[in-house]
Amino acid sequence: VSWPRLVITAMVTSKWPVSVIAGVAGAPSQLPCVVIQNQHVDTPILVLWYKDGARRPFYTLDLRESGDKEVYADPEIKGRVRSELTGSYLILDPLLGSDAGRYKCRVDFQDGPT
């Protein structure tokens, strides 16, 4: 059986490397996000995910609350997208053909810049 392959591009910013992620429709896929700053020891407090240059995130992970992590997911993808507790990966499960595109994550830190 030949499964269709999808390519998802995860972009951070122009000064960060671009990752090209390939996945198989119907299977889970992970998009990476850099949540650690090399120069400073700082805590990520908010991770936002955007697709294809959208101005509003389709997924956010609020890490500010101690204990429970608050999540917002666009209703179109709710139930099949989630993140690790650290925010370092976004998981699409199952991956659909409509998921192909360019993704960007933005991380806000407690003391440092976005």
Side-chain angles (χ1 to χ4, degrees):
V1 174
S2 176
W3 291 90
R5 292 188 60 114
L6 303 176
V7 175
I8 298 175
T9 304
M11 288 183 53
V12 180
T13 66
S14 60
K15 65 182 178 179
W16 294 97
V18 174
S19 299
V20 177
I21 309 298
V24 176
S29 186
Q30 292 184 345
L31 301 176
C33 182
V34 178
V35 296
I36 298 172
Q37 291 186 352
N38 290 334
Q39 292 97 354
H40 307 286
V41 176
D42 203 350
T43 304
I45 58 170
L46 187 65
V47 180
L48 302 104
W49 282 91
Y50 302 85
K51 182 180 177 193
D52 293 330
R55 300 187 100 184
R56 290 187 175 184
F58 68 90
Y59 185 86
T60 63
L61 177 63
D62 188 343
L63 302 169
R64 289 177 284 197
E65 296 293 321
S66 59
D68 293 335
K69 308 301 180 208
E70 292 192 30
V71 173
Y72 164 78
D74 186 285
E76 291 184 23
I77 59 158
K78 193 169 188 161
R80 62 178 201 90
V81 66
R82 65 185 185 280
S83 180
E84 291 186 337
L85 292 178
T86 63
S88 60
Y89 285 96
L90 184 71
I91 302 162
L92 299 165
D93 187 11
L95 189 64
L96 303 177
S98 59
D99 293 328
R102 294 173 91 62
Y103 289 78
K104 178 175 85 169
C105 72
R106 186 185 102 194
V107 182
D108 291 346
F109 294 91
Q110 186 169 343
D111 298 321
T114 296

